Amino acid sequence: MSKQIKGREIHLKSRPQGEPTPGNFELVEVTVPEPAEGQLLVRNLFMSVDPYMRGRMNDVKSYVPPFKLGEALDGGAVGQVVRSRAPGFQEGDFVTSSGGWREYHVADARQYMKVDPNVGSLSAYLGVLGMPGMTAYVGLLDLGKPVAGETVFVSGAAGAVGGLVGQIAKIQGCRVVGSAGSPEKVKHLREDLGFDDAFNYKDGPVADALARTCPEGIDVYFDNVGGEHLEASIGKMKNYGRIVLCGAISQYNATAPTPGPRNLTLAVGKRLTLQGFIVSDQRHQHRRPDFLRDVGGWLREKKVKEVETVVEGLDKAPEAFIGLLRGHNTGKMVVKLASGPA
Amino acid sequence: MSKQIKGREIHLKSRPQGEPTPGNFELVEVTVPEPAEGQLLVRNLFMSVDPYMRGRMNDVKSYVPPFKLGEALDGGAVGQVVRSRAPGFQEGDFVTSSGGWREYHVADARQYMKVDPNVGSLSAYLGVLGMPGMTAYVGLLDLGKPVAGETVFVSGAAGAVGGLVGQIAKIQGCRVVGSAGSPEKVKHLREDLGFDDAFNYKDGPVADALARTCPEGIDVYFDNVGGEHLEASIGKMKNYGRIVLCGAISQYNATAPTPGPRNLTLAVGKRLTLQGFIVSDQRHQHRRPDFLRDVGGWLREKKVKEVETVVEGLDKAPEAFIGLLRGHNTGKMVVKLASGPA
């Protein structure tokens, strides 16, 4: 009952300057504490690496506090209860938490949410049924407000958020165009995810690609990328267009301020709305039941595909994260830590 | 009855490259046509010069078509009916129209709107009771959505729109800070218009001035200026802040793309909304009765001041316009064309 468990975790050893390197991370073995009254001991099965984590590696005040040096990182994880000292949870329950980057996690029961392993795969709770999925759902539907027949452009379209944005936009009856960083990803968008058109942004100026793929202009631009993509999109937006500012992965490793869109003034004459958001805000939580119902339903009906790139082993988590920022993933990048409870 | 009237008008002789010069304009004398059935002949008393006119001098597609070379410019004007051939209008009625830049104007009656000379001065219908006033009202209240106690920052605050934005924000119970381009204007904002604080943006970096004048951050930024002001404001916005993109006078004479805000990515973490608008859009017209009632009432109660810079004579209109872009005006810049009907 109280046999001591050893577990490994990833610490932030030093803050990355520009692109993170393996040396910024450290794999540490620790003794997992016993859960106290009201707590759970959970063995993580999958952990998430997400672009937003790069921001937390800087020592900068933002909407989430920075990671601390010499401590375990955290982030989304899905695991299985090994020991419960809280009512409502029992051994074997599947739960999500923000206790990723480690093999075992102990915390108060209110920090866990039970999940149904029959809706999608378990790792889907880190992707289409998790934070990235809710980001796509809320960002596209509540901020982008697409209307059937409109053109929706999404950058980073082969990523966890972008891929679902495109699929939901198709379900809404929109024409959907995506950008990604390789011919394979472009093929994936067109053939697997049903995008109407897609392009490899490394092939030439984004503005040229948008002129070709969105000849009548863009109604909703879902921006995961920033930089050149944002400027080119502003140039191609139709009047009353909506730009959802979700992320700017092109700039996360920047060590100096990056140029802003030189044509932002067009937002006046085109009556554009640009809106940033953070999906974890309280104001969006009332949409969670709708999100789970809709995306869960679309998964079952095969209207939405769950796409992921899986890396195995906690020791590979830093390179999974580094690879994510380089665009090595198609769909959600997850790290598989174990196959079942200890 | 049908004596021929001669009138002068200002033509666009050549398109400005960068800052307009007097040589871009030409004063031309024409024979004023007889009004046809259903038309009015109006003698303009005041005409408006507005920053947006600069955009129309370029041969670029925008929300209003470009001015044509060799033809009279147009823009807001207030005048008096000399001859009416339309029901509902009679000689002596005061009317507004978009037939500015000329002494006499003939058009269909539906292009005129009768105004009440007892609410404010006649020229107020080009300022606080006209397009700039409605711009301030709709932009601040409907897009900026200020709440009592919030901090509102407005750039170009000594201009026609900015001055009213600040005064309306004060009426809403906000703390109001403005920027302008001379010590006299700063004094005017503080002492005449009741701004809580104001600064001369030529005195140093706007970011420093905002750190000093908005130490707790900005909830609503009303942007008339673009450029450095916009970037500095993004840096100082509070979470969930609203940026009303009304204009970018700092860039209207630009001959090459101007740098965009390098920190626009902050809009994600700060959950900012940036929204451009054009007040003449149909979607805003339902607010006209509210606008006239509220601003008319505030004028009568002396809660809003009507501030204008008056230049006399149609021949001075080009230099009034050039001066406007240089910031020579305090409040609304108007050109007085005549004192009464011919």
Side-chain angles (χ1 to χ4, degrees), chain A residues 62-63 226 230 234 239-240 245-248 251-252 257-265 267-278 280-283, chain B residues 62-63 226 230 234 239-240 245-248 251-252 257-265 267-278 280-283:
Chain A
S62 181
Y63 65 96
L230 180 55
I234 290 171
N239 286 347
Y240 308 107
L245 299 171
C246 180
Q251 294 165 33
Y252 288 172
T258 49
R262 291 167 297 178
N263 57 357
L264 183 57
T265 301
V268 180
K270 291 189 179 194
R271 300 88 159 165
L272 304 183
T273 300
L274 296 87
Q275 195 167 6
F277 77 111
I278 297 294
S280 54
D281 279 355
Q282 192 52 45
R283 58 171 59 184
Chain B
S62 181
Y63 64 96
L230 180 55
I234 291 172
N239 286 347
Y240 308 106
L245 300 171
C246 179
Q251 294 166 31
Y252 288 171
T258 50
R262 291 167 299 177
N263 56 358
L264 183 57
T265 302
V268 180
K270 292 189 179 193
R271 299 88 158 168
L272 304 183
T273 301
L274 296 87
Q275 195 167 5
F277 77 111
I278 297 294
S280 54
D281 279 354
Q282 192 51 44
R283 57 173 58 186

Side-chain angles (χ1 to χ4, degrees), chain A residues 29-155:
Chain A
E29 191 178 76
V30 297
T31 300
V32 179
E34 284 290 309
E37 187 60 39
Q39 291 191 320
L40 307 180
L41 165 63
V42 170
R43 186 184 198 199
N44 284 332
L45 304 177
F46 293 92
M47 62 161 269
S48 182
V49 289
D50 299 282
Y52 81 87
M53 293 171 173
R54 178 64 188 84
R56 297 191 63 191
M57 292 177 187
N58 298 332
D59 194 14
V60 172
K61 198 182 135 196
S62 181
Y63 65 96
V64 273
F67 291 125
K68 290 184 183 154
L69 289 180
E71 293 190 9
L73 297 163
D74 55 54
V78 57
Q80 200 165 12
V81 176
V82 174
R83 194 169 164 215
S84 170
R85 295 193 63 194
F89 290 89
Q90 46 190 330
E91 198 175 309
D93 281 351
F94 293 102
V95 294
T96 57
S97 75
S98 62
W101 294 90
R102 66 199 96 183
E103 292 173 321
Y104 292 91
H105 185 238
V106 173
D108 291 348
R110 63 183 160 75
Q111 297 189 32
Y112 297 93
M113 194 166 65
K114 264 199 272 195
V115 296
D116 179 349
N118 300 312
V119 178
S121 71
L122 275 178
S123 54
Y125 287 100
L126 304 179
V128 286
L129 293 173
M131 182 275 286
M134 176 97 168
T135 300
Y137 185 88
V138 164
L140 179 67
L141 297 181
D142 296 356
L143 280 69
K145 298 188 177 72
V147 173
E150 288 190 330
T151 295
V152 174
F153 171 56
V154 54
S155 56

